[in-house]
Coordinates of all heavy atoms in Angstrom, one line a residue:
M144 N -12.5 -25.1 -22.5 CA -12.3 -23.8 -21.8 C -11.6 -24.2 -20.5 O -12.0 -25.0 -19.7 CB -13.7 -23.2 -21.5 CG -13.6 -22.0 -20.7 SD -15.3 -21.3 -20.4 CE -15.1 -20.6 -18.9
A145 N -10.5 -23.6 -20.3 CA -9.7 -23.8 -19.1 C -10.3 -23.1 -17.9 O -10.7 -21.9 -18.0 CB -8.3 -23.4 -19.3
L146 N -10.4 -23.7 -16.8 CA -10.9 -23.1 -15.6 C -9.8 -22.5 -14.8 O -8.7 -23.1 -14.6 CB -11.6 -24.2 -14.7 CG -12.9 -24.8 -15.3 CD1 -13.4 -25.9 -14.4 CD2 -13.9 -23.7 -15.6
D147 N -10.0 -21.4 -14.2 CA -9.0 -20.7 -13.4 C -9.3 -21.0 -11.9 O -10.3 -20.4 -11.4 CB -9.0 -19.2 -13.7 CG -8.0 -18.4 -12.8 OD1 -7.2 -19.1 -12.1 OD2 -8.0 -17.2 -13.0
P148 N -8.5 -21.8 -11.3 CA -8.8 -22.2 -9.9 C -8.8 -20.9 -8.9 O -9.5 -21.0 -7.9 CB -7.7 -23.1 -9.5 CG -7.1 -23.6 -10.7 CD -7.4 -22.5 -11.8
N149 N -8.2 -19.9 -9.3 CA -8.2 -18.6 -8.5 C -9.6 -18.0 -8.5 O -9.8 -17.1 -7.7 CB -7.1 -17.7 -9.0 CG -5.8 -18.2 -8.8 OD1 -5.4 -18.8 -7.8 ND2 -4.9 -18.0 -9.8
R150 N -10.4 -18.3 -9.5 CA -11.8 -17.7 -9.5 C -12.8 -18.6 -8.9 O -14.0 -18.2 -8.8 CB -12.1 -17.5 -11.0 CG -11.1 -16.5 -11.6 CD -11.7 -15.9 -12.9 NE -13.0 -15.4 -12.6 CZ -13.5 -14.4 -13.3 NH1 -12.9 -13.9 -14.3 NH2 -14.7 -14.0 -13.0
F151 N -12.4 -19.7 -8.3 CA -13.4 -20.6 -7.6 C -13.8 -19.9 -6.3 O -13.0 -19.2 -5.7 CB -12.8 -21.9 -7.3 CG -12.5 -22.8 -8.5 CD1 -11.6 -23.9 -8.4 CD2 -13.2 -22.7 -9.7 CE1 -11.4 -24.7 -9.5 CE2 -13.0 -23.5 -10.8 CZ -12.0 -24.5 -10.7
T152 N -15.0 -20.2 -5.9 CA -15.4 -19.7 -4.6 C -14.7 -20.4 -3.5 O -14.0 -21.5 -3.7 CB -16.9 -20.0 -4.4 OG1 -17.1 -21.4 -4.3 CG2 -17.8 -19.4 -5.5
R153 N -14.7 -19.9 -2.3 CA -14.0 -20.5 -1.2 C -14.5 -21.9 -0.9 O -13.8 -22.9 -0.7 CB -14.2 -19.6 0.1 CG -13.4 -20.2 1.3 CD -13.6 -19.3 2.5 NE -15.0 -19.0 2.8 CZ -15.8 -19.7 3.5 NH1 -15.4 -20.9 4.0 NH2 -17.1 -19.4 3.8
K154 N -15.8 -22.1 -1.0 CA -16.4 -23.4 -0.8 C -15.9 -24.4 -1.9 O -15.7 -25.6 -1.6 CB -17.9 -23.4 -0.8 CG -18.5 -22.7 0.4 CD -18.3 -23.7 1.6 CE -18.9 -23.1 2.8 NZ -18.5 -23.9 4.0
T155 N -15.8 -24.0 -3.1 CA -15.4 -24.8 -4.2 C -13.9 -25.2 -3.9 O -13.5 -26.4 -4.1 CB -15.5 -24.2 -5.6 OG1 -16.9 -23.8 -5.8 CG2 -15.0 -25.0 -6.7
Q156 N -13.1 -24.3 -3.6 CA -11.7 -24.6 -3.3 C -11.6 -25.5 -2.1 O -10.8 -26.5 -2.1 CB -10.9 -23.3 -3.0 CG -10.7 -22.4 -4.2 CD -10.1 -21.0 -3.8 OE1 -9.9 -20.7 -2.6 NE2 -9.9 -20.2 -4.8
E157 N -12.4 -25.3 -1.1 CA -12.4 -26.3 0.1 C -12.8 -27.7 -0.4 O -12.2 -28.7 0.1 CB -13.4 -25.8 1.2 CG -12.9 -24.5 1.9 CD -13.9 -24.0 2.8 OE1 -15.0 -24.6 3.0 OE2 -13.7 -22.9 3.4
A158 N -13.8 -27.8 -1.2 CA -14.3 -29.1 -1.7 C -13.2 -29.8 -2.5 O -13.0 -31.0 -2.4 CB -15.6 -28.9 -2.5
L159 N -12.5 -29.0 -3.4 CA -11.4 -29.6 -4.2 C -10.3 -30.1 -3.3 O -9.8 -31.2 -3.5 CB -10.9 -28.6 -5.2 CG -11.8 -28.4 -6.4 CD1 -11.3 -27.2 -7.2 CD2 -11.9 -29.6 -7.3
G160 N -10.0 -29.4 -2.2 CA -9.0 -29.8 -1.3 C -9.4 -31.0 -0.5 O -8.6 -31.9 -0.3
A161 N -10.6 -31.0 -0.1 CA -11.2 -32.2 0.7 C -11.2 -33.4 -0.2 O -10.9 -34.5 0.2 CB -12.6 -31.9 1.2
A162 N -11.6 -33.2 -1.5 CA -11.6 -34.4 -2.4 C -10.2 -34.9 -2.6 O -10.0 -36.2 -2.6 CB -12.2 -33.9 -3.8
Q163 N -9.2 -34.1 -2.7 CA -7.8 -34.6 -2.9 C -7.4 -35.3 -1.6 O -6.7 -36.4 -1.7 CB -6.9 -33.4 -3.1 CG -6.9 -32.9 -4.5 CD -5.9 -31.8 -4.7 OE1 -5.9 -30.8 -4.0 NE2 -5.1 -32.0 -5.7
R164 N -7.7 -34.8 -0.4 CA -7.3 -35.4 0.8 C -8.0 -36.8 0.9 O -7.4 -37.8 1.4 CB -7.6 -34.6 2.0 CG -6.7 -33.4 2.2 CD -6.9 -32.7 3.5 NE -8.2 -32.1 3.6 CZ -8.6 -30.9 3.1 NH1 -7.8 -30.2 2.4 NH2 -9.8 -30.5 3.2
D165 N -9.3 -36.8 0.6 CA -10.0 -38.1 0.6 C -9.4 -39.1 -0.3 O -9.2 -40.3 0.1 CB -11.5 -37.8 0.3 CG -12.4 -39.1 0.5 OD1 -12.1 -39.9 1.4 OD2 -13.3 -39.2 -0.3
A166 N -9.1 -38.7 -1.5 CA -8.5 -39.7 -2.4 C -7.1 -40.2 -1.9 O -6.8 -41.4 -2.0 CB -8.3 -39.0 -3.8
A167 N -6.3 -39.3 -1.3 CA -5.0 -39.7 -0.8 C -5.2 -40.6 0.4 O -4.6 -41.7 0.6 CB -4.2 -38.5 -0.4
D168 N -6.2 -40.3 1.3 CA -6.4 -41.1 2.5 C -6.9 -42.5 2.1 O -6.7 -43.5 2.8 CB -7.5 -40.5 3.4 CG -7.0 -39.2 4.1 OD1 -5.8 -39.0 4.1 OD2 -7.9 -38.5 4.6
R169 N -7.6 -42.6 1.0 CA -8.1 -43.9 0.5 C -7.1 -44.6 -0.4 O -7.5 -45.7 -0.9 CB -9.4 -43.7 -0.2 CG -10.6 -43.2 0.6 CD -11.8 -42.9 -0.2 NE -12.9 -42.3 0.5 CZ -13.9 -43.1 1.0 NH1 -13.8 -44.4 0.9 NH2 -14.8 -42.5 1.7
H170 N -6.0 -44.1 -0.6 CA -4.9 -44.6 -1.5 C -5.4 -44.7 -2.9 O -5.1 -45.7 -3.6 CB -4.5 -46.0 -1.0 CG -4.0 -46.0 0.4 ND1 -2.7 -45.5 0.7 CD2 -4.5 -46.3 1.6 CE1 -2.5 -45.6 2.0 NE2 -3.6 -46.1 2.6
H171 N -6.2 -43.7 -3.4 CA -6.6 -43.6 -4.8 C -5.6 -42.7 -5.5 O -5.2 -41.7 -5.0 CB -8.0 -43.1 -4.9 CG -9.0 -43.9 -4.2 ND1 -10.2 -43.4 -3.8 CD2 -9.1 -45.3 -4.0 CE1 -10.9 -44.4 -3.3 NE2 -10.2 -45.5 -3.4
S172 N -5.2 -43.1 -6.7 CA -4.2 -42.4 -7.4 C -4.7 -41.2 -8.1 O -4.0 -40.3 -8.5 CB -3.5 -43.3 -8.5 OG -4.4 -43.7 -9.4
Q173 N -6.1 -41.1 -8.3 CA -6.7 -40.0 -8.9 C -7.8 -39.4 -8.1 O -8.5 -40.2 -7.4 CB -7.2 -40.3 -10.3 CG -6.2 -40.8 -11.3 CD -6.8 -41.1 -12.6 OE1 -8.0 -40.8 -12.9 NE2 -6.1 -41.7 -13.5
V174 N -8.1 -38.2 -8.2 CA -9.3 -37.6 -7.6 C -10.4 -37.8 -8.7 O -10.3 -37.3 -9.8 CB -9.1 -36.1 -7.3 CG1 -10.4 -35.5 -6.8 CG2 -7.9 -35.9 -6.4
M175 N -11.4 -38.5 -8.3 CA -12.5 -38.9 -9.2 C -13.7 -38.0 -8.8 O -13.8 -37.4 -7.8 CB -12.9 -40.3 -9.0 CG -11.7 -41.3 -9.3 SD -11.1 -41.2 -11.0 CE -12.5 -41.9 -11.8
P176 N -14.7 -37.9 -9.8 CA -15.9 -37.1 -9.5 C -16.6 -37.5 -8.2 O -17.1 -36.7 -7.5 CB -16.8 -37.4 -10.7 CG -15.8 -37.8 -11.8 CD -14.7 -38.5 -11.1
E177 N -16.5 -38.8 -7.8 CA -17.1 -39.2 -6.6 C -16.5 -38.6 -5.4 O -17.2 -38.3 -4.4 CB -17.0 -40.8 -6.5 CG -17.9 -41.5 -7.5 CD -17.1 -41.8 -8.8 OE1 -16.1 -41.1 -9.1 OE2 -17.6 -42.7 -9.5
H178 N -15.2 -38.4 -5.4 CA -14.5 -37.7 -4.3 C -15.0 -36.3 -4.2 O -15.3 -35.8 -3.1 CB -13.0 -37.7 -4.6 CG -12.3 -39.0 -4.5 ND1 -11.8 -39.6 -5.7 CD2 -12.0 -39.8 -3.5 CE1 -11.3 -40.7 -5.4 NE2 -11.4 -40.9 -4.0
L179 N -15.1 -35.6 -5.3 CA -15.6 -34.2 -5.3 C -17.1 -34.1 -4.8 O -17.4 -33.3 -4.0 CB -15.5 -33.6 -6.7 CG -15.9 -32.1 -6.8 CD1 -15.2 -31.2 -5.8 CD2 -15.7 -31.7 -8.2
L180 N -17.9 -35.0 -5.3 CA -19.3 -35.0 -4.9 C -19.4 -35.3 -3.4 O -20.2 -34.7 -2.6 CB -20.1 -36.0 -5.7 CG -21.6 -35.9 -5.4 CD1 -22.2 -34.5 -5.6 CD2 -22.4 -36.9 -6.3
A181 N -18.6 -36.3 -2.9 CA -18.6 -36.6 -1.5 C -18.2 -35.4 -0.6 O -18.7 -35.1 0.4 CB -17.7 -37.8 -1.2
A182 N -17.2 -34.6 -1.1 CA -16.7 -33.4 -0.4 C -17.8 -32.4 -0.4 O -18.1 -31.7 0.6 CB -15.5 -32.9 -1.1
L183 N -18.5 -32.2 -1.5 CA -19.6 -31.2 -1.6 C -20.8 -31.6 -0.7 O -21.3 -30.7 0.0 CB -20.1 -31.1 -3.0 CG -19.1 -30.4 -4.0 CD1 -19.5 -30.6 -5.4 CD2 -18.9 -28.9 -3.6
V184 N -21.1 -32.9 -0.7 CA -22.2 -33.3 0.2 C -21.8 -33.2 1.7 O -22.6 -33.0 2.6 CB -22.6 -34.8 -0.1 CG1 -23.5 -35.4 0.9 CG2 -23.2 -34.9 -1.5
G185 N -20.5 -33.2 1.9 CA -20.0 -33.1 3.3 C -19.9 -31.7 3.8 O -19.5 -31.5 5.0
Q186 N -20.2 -30.7 3.0 CA -20.2 -29.3 3.4 C -21.5 -28.9 4.1 O -22.5 -28.7 3.3 CB -19.9 -28.4 2.3 CG -18.5 -28.5 1.7 CD -18.2 -27.5 0.6 OE1 -19.2 -27.2 -0.1 NE2 -17.0 -27.2 0.4
P187 N -21.6 -28.8 5.4 CA -22.9 -28.5 6.0 C -23.4 -27.1 5.6 O -24.6 -26.9 5.6 CB -22.6 -28.6 7.5 CG -21.1 -28.6 7.7 CD -20.5 -29.0 6.3
E188 N -22.5 -26.2 5.3 CA -23.0 -24.8 5.0 C -23.1 -24.6 3.5 O -23.4 -23.6 3.0 CB -22.1 -23.7 5.5 CG -22.0 -23.7 7.0 CD -20.8 -24.5 7.6 OE1 -19.8 -24.7 6.8 OE2 -20.9 -25.0 8.7
G189 N -22.8 -25.7 2.7 CA -22.8 -25.6 1.2 C -24.2 -25.6 0.7 O -25.2 -25.9 1.4
V190 N -24.4 -25.5 -0.6 CA -25.7 -25.5 -1.3 C -26.1 -26.9 -1.7 O -27.3 -27.1 -1.9 CB -25.7 -24.5 -2.5 CG1 -25.4 -23.1 -2.1 CG2 -24.7 -25.0 -3.6
V191 N -25.2 -27.8 -1.7 CA -25.5 -29.1 -2.2 C -26.6 -29.9 -1.4 O -27.5 -30.5 -2.0 CB -24.2 -30.0 -2.4 CG1 -24.6 -31.4 -2.8 CG2 -23.3 -29.3 -3.4
L192 N -26.5 -29.8 -0.1 CA -27.5 -30.5 0.8 C -28.9 -30.0 0.5 O -29.8 -30.8 0.4 CB -27.1 -30.3 2.2 CG -25.8 -31.0 2.7 CD1 -25.6 -30.7 4.2 CD2 -25.9 -32.5 2.4
G193 N -29.0 -28.7 0.4 CA -30.3 -28.1 0.1 C -30.9 -28.6 -1.3 O -32.1 -28.9 -1.5
V194 N -30.0 -28.6 -2.3 CA -30.4 -29.0 -3.6 C -30.8 -30.5 -3.6 O -31.8 -30.8 -4.2 CB -29.2 -28.8 -4.6 CG1 -29.5 -29.5 -6.0 CG2 -28.9 -27.4 -4.8
L195 N -30.0 -31.3 -2.9 CA -30.4 -32.8 -2.8 C -31.8 -32.9 -2.2 O -32.7 -33.7 -2.7 CB -29.4 -33.5 -2.0 CG -28.0 -33.7 -2.6 CD1 -27.1 -34.4 -1.7 CD2 -28.1 -34.5 -3.9
E196 N -32.1 -32.2 -1.1 CA -33.3 -32.3 -0.5 C -34.5 -31.8 -1.3 O -35.6 -32.4 -1.4 CB -33.3 -31.5 0.9 CG -32.4 -32.2 1.9 CD -32.2 -31.4 3.2 OE1 -32.6 -30.3 3.2 OE2 -31.6 -32.0 4.1
R197 N -34.2 -30.7 -2.1 CA -35.2 -30.1 -3.0 C -35.6 -31.1 -4.1 O -36.8 -31.1 -4.6 CB -34.8 -28.8 -3.6 CG -35.2 -27.7 -2.6 CD -34.9 -26.3 -3.3 NE -34.0 -25.6 -2.4 CZ -32.8 -25.2 -2.7 NH1 -32.3 -25.3 -3.9 NH2 -32.0 -24.6 -1.7
I198 N -34.7 -31.9 -4.5 CA -35.0 -32.9 -5.6 C -35.4 -34.2 -5.1 O -35.6 -35.2 -5.8 CB -33.8 -33.0 -6.6 CG1 -32.6 -33.5 -6.0 CG2 -33.6 -31.7 -7.3 CD1 -31.5 -33.9 -7.0
G199 N -35.6 -34.3 -3.7 CA -36.1 -35.5 -3.1 C -35.1 -36.6 -2.8 O -35.5 -37.7 -2.6
L200 N -33.8 -36.2 -2.7 CA -32.8 -37.2 -2.3 C -32.4 -36.9 -0.9 O -32.0 -35.8 -0.6 CB -31.6 -37.1 -3.3 CG -31.8 -37.6 -4.7 CD1 -30.6 -37.3 -5.5 CD2 -32.2 -39.1 -4.7
A201 N -32.3 -38.0 -0.1 CA -31.8 -37.9 1.2 C -30.3 -37.8 1.2 O -29.7 -38.7 0.6 CB -32.3 -39.0 2.1
P202 N -29.7 -36.8 1.8 CA -28.2 -36.7 1.8 C -27.6 -38.0 2.4 O -26.5 -38.4 1.9 CB -27.9 -35.5 2.7 CG -29.1 -34.6 2.5 CD -30.3 -35.6 2.4
T203 N -28.2 -38.6 3.4 CA -27.6 -39.8 3.9 C -27.5 -40.9 2.9 O -26.6 -41.7 2.8 CB -28.3 -40.3 5.2 OG1 -29.7 -40.4 4.9 CG2 -28.1 -39.3 6.3
A204 N -28.6 -41.0 2.1 CA -28.6 -42.1 1.0 C -27.5 -41.8 0.0 O -26.9 -42.7 -0.5 CB -30.0 -42.1 0.4
V205 N -27.4 -40.5 -0.4 CA -26.4 -40.1 -1.4 C -25.0 -40.4 -0.8 O -24.1 -41.0 -1.5 CB -26.5 -38.6 -1.7 CG1 -25.3 -38.2 -2.6 CG2 -27.8 -38.4 -2.5
R206 N -24.8 -40.1 0.5 CA -23.5 -40.4 1.1 C -23.2 -41.9 1.1 O -22.1 -42.3 0.8 CB -23.4 -39.9 2.5 CG -23.2 -38.4 2.6 CD -23.0 -38.0 4.1 NE -23.2 -36.6 4.3 CZ -24.2 -36.0 4.8 NH1 -25.3 -36.7 5.2 NH2 -24.3 -34.7 4.8
A207 N -24.2 -42.7 1.4 CA -24.0 -44.2 1.4 C -23.7 -44.7 0.0 O -22.8 -45.5 -0.2 CB -25.3 -44.8 1.9
R208 N -24.3 -44.2 -1.0 CA -24.0 -44.6 -2.4 C -22.6 -44.2 -2.8 O -21.9 -44.9 -3.5 CB -25.1 -44.1 -3.4 CG -26.4 -44.8 -3.3 CD -27.3 -44.5 -4.4 NE -28.6 -44.9 -4.2 CZ -29.1 -46.1 -4.6 NH1 -28.2 -47.0 -5.1 NH2 -30.3 -46.4 -4.3
L209 N -22.3 -43.0 -2.4 CA -20.9 -42.5 -2.7 C -19.9 -43.4 -2.0 O -18.8 -43.7 -2.6 CB -20.7 -41.0 -2.3 CG -21.4 -40.0 -3.2 CD1 -21.4 -38.7 -2.5 CD2 -20.7 -39.9 -4.5
E210 N -20.1 -43.7 -0.8 CA -19.2 -44.6 0.0 C -19.0 -45.9 -0.7 O -17.9 -46.4 -0.9 CB -19.7 -44.8 1.4 CG -18.7 -45.5 2.3 CD -17.3 -44.8 2.4 OE1 -17.2 -43.6 2.4 OE2 -16.3 -45.6 2.5
E211 N -20.1 -46.5 -1.2 CA -20.1 -47.8 -1.9 C -19.2 -47.6 -3.2 O -18.4 -48.5 -3.5 CB -21.5 -48.2 -2.4 CG -22.4 -48.7 -1.3 CD -23.8 -48.9 -1.8 OE1 -24.0 -49.0 -3.0 OE2 -24.7 -49.0 -0.9
S212 N -19.4 -46.6 -3.9 CA -18.7 -46.3 -5.1 C -17.2 -46.1 -4.8 O -16.3 -46.6 -5.5 CB -19.3 -45.1 -5.9 OG -18.5 -44.8 -7.0
L213 N -16.9 -45.3 -3.8 CA -15.5 -45.0 -3.5 C -14.7 -46.3 -3.0 O -13.6 -46.4 -3.3 CB -15.4 -43.9 -2.4 CG -15.8 -42.5 -2.9 CD1 -16.0 -41.6 -1.8 CD2 -14.7 -42.0 -3.9
T214 N -15.4 -47.1 -2.3 CA -14.7 -48.3 -1.8 C -14.4 -49.3 -2.9 O -13.6 -50.2 -2.8 CB -15.5 -49.1 -0.7 OG1 -16.8 -49.4 -1.2 CG2 -15.7 -48.2 0.5
R215 N -15.1 -49.2 -4.1 CA -14.8 -50.0 -5.2 C -13.7 -49.6 -6.1 O -13.2 -50.3 -6.9 CB -16.1 -50.2 -6.1 CG -17.2 -51.1 -5.5 CD -18.2 -51.4 -6.5 NE -18.9 -50.3 -7.0 CZ -20.1 -49.8 -6.6 NH1 -20.7 -50.3 -5.6 NH2 -20.6 -48.7 -7.2
L216 N -13.2 -48.3 -5.9 CA -12.1 -47.8 -6.7 C -10.8 -48.5 -6.3 O -10.6 -48.9 -5.1 CB -12.0 -46.3 -6.5 CG -13.1 -45.4 -7.0 CD1 -12.9 -44.0 -6.6 CD2 -13.3 -45.6 -8.5
P217 N -10.0 -48.7 -7.3 CA -8.7 -49.4 -7.0 C -7.8 -48.6 -6.1 O -7.8 -47.3 -6.2 CB -8.0 -49.6 -8.4 CG -8.7 -48.7 -9.3 CD -10.1 -48.4 -8.7
Q218 N -7.0 -49.2 -5.3 CA -6.1 -48.6 -4.3 C -4.7 -48.8 -4.8 O -4.4 -49.8 -5.4 CB -6.3 -49.1 -2.9 CG -7.6 -48.8 -2.3 CD -7.7 -49.3 -0.9 OE1 -7.3 -50.4 -0.6 NE2 -8.4 -48.6 0.0
V219 N -3.9 -47.7 -4.6 CA -2.5 -47.8 -5.0 C -1.6 -47.5 -3.8 O -1.9 -46.6 -3.0 CB -2.2 -46.7 -6.1 CG1 -0.7 -46.7 -6.5 CG2 -3.1 -46.9 -7.3
Y220 N -0.6 -48.3 -3.6 CA 0.3 -48.2 -2.4 C 1.7 -47.9 -3.0 O 2.0 -48.4 -4.0 CB 0.3 -49.4 -1.5 CG -1.1 -49.6 -0.8 CD1 -2.1 -50.3 -1.4 CD2 -1.3 -48.9 0.4 CE1 -3.3 -50.4 -0.8 CE2 -2.6 -49.1 1.0 CZ -3.5 -49.8 0.4 OH -4.7 -50.0 1.0
G221 N 2.5 -47.2 -2.2 CA 3.8 -46.9 -2.6 C 3.9 -45.4 -2.9 O 3.1 -44.6 -2.5
A222 N 5.0 -45.0 -3.6 CA 5.3 -43.6 -3.9 C 4.4 -43.2 -5.0 O 4.6 -43.6 -6.2 CB 6.7 -43.4 -4.2
T223 N 3.4 -42.4 -4.7 CA 2.5 -41.9 -5.7 C 2.3 -40.4 -5.5 O 2.5 -39.9 -4.4 CB 1.1 -42.5 -5.8 OG1 0.5 -42.3 -4.5 CG2 1.2 -44.0 -6.0
T224 N 2.0 -39.7 -6.5 CA 1.6 -38.3 -6.4 C 0.3 -38.1 -7.1 O 0.0 -38.7 -8.1 CB 2.7 -37.3 -6.9 OG1 2.8 -37.6 -8.3 CG2 4.0 -37.5 -6.2
Q225 N -0.4 -37.1 -6.6 CA -1.7 -36.8 -7.2 C -1.5 -35.4 -7.8 O -0.9 -34.5 -7.2 CB -2.8 -36.7 -6.2 CG -3.2 -38.0 -5.6 CD -4.3 -37.9 -4.6 OE1 -4.6 -36.8 -4.2 NE2 -4.9 -38.9 -4.2
S226 N -2.0 -35.2 -9.0 CA -2.0 -33.9 -9.6 C -3.4 -33.5 -10.0 O -4.2 -34.4 -10.3 CB -1.1 -33.9 -10.8 OG -1.6 -34.8 -11.8
R227 N -3.6 -32.3 -10.0 CA -4.9 -31.7 -10.5 C -4.6 -30.7 -11.5 O -4.5 -29.5 -11.2 CB -5.6 -31.2 -9.2 CG -7.1 -30.8 -9.6 CD -7.7 -30.1 -8.4 NE -7.2 -28.8 -8.3 CZ -7.1 -28.1 -7.1 NH1 -7.5 -28.7 -6.0 NH2 -6.6 -26.9 -7.1
S228 N -4.5 -31.1 -12.7 CA -4.3 -30.1 -13.8 C -5.6 -29.4 -14.1 O -6.6 -29.8 -13.7 CB -3.8 -30.9 -15.1 OG -4.8 -31.7 -15.5
E229 N -5.4 -28.4 -14.9 CA -6.6 -27.6 -15.3 C -7.6 -28.5 -16.1 O -8.8 -28.5 -16.0 CB -6.3 -26.4 -16.2 CG -5.6 -25.3 -15.3 CD -5.3 -24.1 -16.2 OE1 -5.9 -23.9 -17.3 OE2 -4.5 -23.3 -15.7
E230 N -7.0 -29.4 -16.9 CA -7.8 -30.3 -17.7 C -8.5 -31.3 -16.8 O -9.7 -31.6 -17.0 CB -6.9 -31.1 -18.7 CG -7.6 -32.1 -19.6 CD -6.7 -32.8 -20.5 OE1 -5.8 -32.2 -21.0 OE2 -7.0 -34.0 -20.7
H231 N -7.8 -31.8 -15.8 CA -8.4 -32.7 -14.9 C -9.5 -32.0 -14.1 O -10.6 -32.6 -13.8 CB -7.4 -33.3 -14.0 CG -7.9 -34.5 -13.2 ND1 -8.2 -35.7 -13.7 CD2 -8.1 -34.6 -11.9 CE1 -8.6 -36.5 -12.8 NE2 -8.6 -35.9 -11.7
T232 N -9.3 -30.8 -13.7 CA -10.3 -30.1 -12.9 C -11.6 -29.9 -13.8 O -12.7 -30.1 -13.3 CB -9.8 -28.7 -12.5 OG1 -8.6 -28.9 -11.7 CG2 -10.8 -27.9 -11.7
S233 N -11.4 -29.6 -15.1 CA -12.5 -29.4 -16.0 C -13.2 -30.8 -16.2 O -14.5 -30.8 -16.2 CB -12.0 -28.9 -17.3 OG -13.1 -28.8 -18.2
E234 N -12.5 -31.8 -16.2 CA -13.0 -33.2 -16.4 C -13.9 -33.5 -15.1 O -14.9 -34.1 -15.2 CB -11.9 -34.2 -16.6 CG -12.4 -35.6 -16.8 CD -11.2 -36.6 -17.0 OE1 -10.2 -36.1 -17.5 OE2 -11.4 -37.7 -16.7
L235 N -13.4 -33.2 -13.9 CA -14.1 -33.4 -12.7 C -15.4 -32.7 -12.7 O -16.5 -33.3 -12.4 CB -13.3 -33.0 -11.5 CG -12.3 -33.9 -10.9 CD1 -11.5 -33.2 -9.8 CD2 -12.9 -35.2 -10.4
Q236 N -15.4 -31.5 -13.2 CA -16.7 -30.7 -13.2 C -17.7 -31.4 -14.2 O -18.8 -31.5 -13.8 CB -16.4 -29.3 -13.7 CG -17.6 -28.4 -13.7 CD -17.3 -27.0 -14.1 OE1 -16.2 -26.7 -14.5 NE2 -18.2 -26.1 -14.0
S237 N -17.2 -31.8 -15.4 CA -18.2 -32.4 -16.3 C -18.7 -33.7 -15.8 O -19.8 -34.1 -16.0 CB -17.6 -32.5 -17.7 OG -16.5 -33.3 -17.7
H238 N -17.8 -34.5 -15.2 CA -18.2 -35.8 -14.7 C -19.1 -35.8 -13.5 O -19.8 -36.7 -13.2 CB -17.0 -36.7 -14.5 CG -16.3 -37.1 -15.7 ND1 -16.9 -38.0 -16.7 CD2 -15.1 -36.9 -16.2 CE1 -16.1 -38.2 -17.6 NE2 -15.0 -37.5 -17.4
S239 N -19.0 -34.7 -12.7 CA -19.9 -34.6 -11.6 C -21.4 -34.6 -11.9 O -22.2 -35.2 -11.2 CB -19.6 -33.4 -10.7 OG -19.8 -32.2 -11.4
D240 N -21.7 -34.1 -13.1 CA -23.1 -34.2 -13.6 C -23.5 -35.6 -13.8 O -24.6 -36.0 -13.5 CB -23.2 -33.4 -14.9 CG -23.1 -31.9 -14.8 OD1 -23.3 -31.4 -13.6 OD2 -22.8 -31.2 -15.8
L241 N -22.5 -36.4 -14.4 CA -22.8 -37.8 -14.6 C -23.1 -38.6 -13.3 O -24.0 -39.3 -13.2 CB -21.7 -38.5 -15.4 CG -21.7 -40.0 -15.6 CD1 -22.9 -40.3 -16.5 CD2 -20.5 -40.5 -16.3
V242 N -22.2 -38.3 -12.3 CA -22.4 -38.9 -11.0 C -23.8 -38.6 -10.4 O -24.5 -39.5 -10.0 CB -21.3 -38.5 -10.0 CG1 -21.5 -39.0 -8.7 CG2 -19.9 -39.1 -10.5
C243 N -24.2 -37.3 -10.5 CA -25.5 -36.9 -10.0 C -26.6 -37.7 -10.7 O -27.5 -38.1 -10.1 CB -25.6 -35.4 -10.1 SG -24.7 -34.5 -9.0
R244 N -26.5 -37.7 -12.1 CA -27.5 -38.4 -12.9 C -27.6 -39.9 -12.5 O -28.7 -40.4 -12.4 CB -27.2 -38.3 -14.4 CG -28.3 -37.7 -15.1 CD -28.1 -37.5 -16.6 NE -27.0 -38.2 -17.2 CZ -26.0 -37.7 -17.7 NH1 -25.8 -36.4 -17.7 NH2 -25.0 -38.4 -18.3
L245 N -26.4 -40.5 -12.3 CA -26.4 -41.9 -11.9 C -27.1 -42.1 -10.6 O -27.8 -43.1 -10.4 CB -25.0 -42.5 -11.9 CG -24.4 -42.6 -13.3 CD1 -22.9 -43.0 -13.1 CD2 -25.1 -43.6 -14.1
L246 N -26.8 -41.2 -9.6 CA -27.4 -41.4 -8.3 C -28.9 -41.2 -8.4 O -29.7 -41.9 -7.7 CB -26.8 -40.3 -7.4 CG -25.4 -40.6 -6.9 CD1 -24.9 -39.4 -6.2 CD2 -25.4 -41.8 -6.0
L247 N -29.4 -40.3 -9.3 CA -30.8 -40.1 -9.4 C -31.5 -41.3 -10.1 O -32.6 -41.6 -9.7 CB -31.1 -38.8 -10.3 CG -30.8 -37.5 -9.6 CD1 -30.9 -36.4 -10.6 CD2 -31.7 -37.2 -8.5
E248 N -30.8 -41.9 -11.0 CA -31.4 -43.1 -11.7 C -31.5 -44.3 -10.7 O -32.4 -45.1 -10.8 CB -30.5 -43.5 -12.8 CG -30.5 -42.6 -14.0 CD -29.5 -43.0 -15.1 OE1 -28.9 -44.0 -15.0 OE2 -29.4 -42.2 -16.0
K249 N -30.7 -44.4 -9.7 CA -30.7 -45.5 -8.7 C -31.8 -45.2 -7.7 O -32.0 -46.1 -6.9 CB -29.3 -45.7 -8.1 CG -28.3 -46.2 -9.0 CD -27.0 -46.4 -8.3 CE -26.0 -46.9 -9.3 NZ -24.7 -47.1 -8.7
K250 N -32.3 -44.0 -7.7 CA -33.3 -43.7 -6.6 C -34.5 -44.5 -6.7 O -35.1 -44.9 -7.7 CB -33.7 -42.2 -6.7 CG -34.7 -41.8 -5.7 CD -35.0 -40.3 -5.9 CE -36.2 -40.0 -5.0 NZ -36.8 -38.8 -5.3

């Protein structure tokens, strides 16, 4: 099922944009689920912080684990472009569940 980015909430659009900027700033060639989760955790008015706290995860611990994971990703230098196709957006959404599960297992 293709996702229509025009139907995303403002917060979701902001998170996707922040994830893309983060990946570019870190010289990553792709936006990975970790970038998206980091962007969501970084939204002070978003719902993710409350969800993390309700399931017993400290947002600071989640941020630290995400930072560890992001620093291990390969970096690419030179002329690169990032794209976010509908297929890639859908893949990000499905993989974000996996990232959350992995973070919970490490707790």
